[in-house]
Amino acid sequence: MKCMMSVDREHIHRVTDEKAVKLYHEGWRYVSKSLWKEKVRDTEQPTKEKLTKKKSNKMSKSQKRHMRKS
């Protein structure tokens, strides 16, 4: 796998070695993987809010057992 940047420095792609050779002949240039990580992979992506389960007021089995004993 290689990381390639377009001539206008707008696009950075991670491609296979075969595609990298083709892109190189089209004018793209090789860049470091750390640059790809910084600009593409690790960019802030909108995250969905995680839904939390609603806590029920039901007694657990052990709580019921203790209630019966007392």
Side-chain angles (χ1 to χ4, degrees):
M1 296 292 286
K2 304 289 183 195
C3 299
M4 305 293 291
M5 180 187 287
S6 64
V7 179
D8 58 358
R9 298 181 180 202
E10 188 174 321
H11 304 288
I12 299 175
H13 295 290
R14 188 150 163 81
V15 296
T16 61
D17 293 345
E18 293 83 24
K19 286 185 181 181
V21 172
K22 291 177 185 177
L23 288 174
Y24 183 78
H25 290 296
E26 292 176 12
W28 290 56
R29 63 186 185 114
Y30 294 103
V31 293
S32 65
K33 187 176 179 182
S34 60
L35 181 68
W36 170 77
K37 286 180 183 179
E38 177 185 321
K39 302 287 183 183
V40 178
R41 189 190 76 171
D42 294 338
T43 57
E44 293 280 333
Q45 296 178 354
T47 56
K48 295 181 181 178
E49 293 182 22
K50 294 182 180 177
L51 299 175
T52 57
K53 294 182 180 179
K54 292 184 180 180
K55 193 170 186 176
S56 66
N57 290 331
K58 294 181 182 179
M59 285 194 283
S60 67
K61 290 181 180 180
S62 62
Q63 288 174 329
K64 289 178 186 177
R65 201 175 316 120
H66 289 290
M67 290 294 289
R68 277 188 252 136
K69 286 184 178 181
S70 51

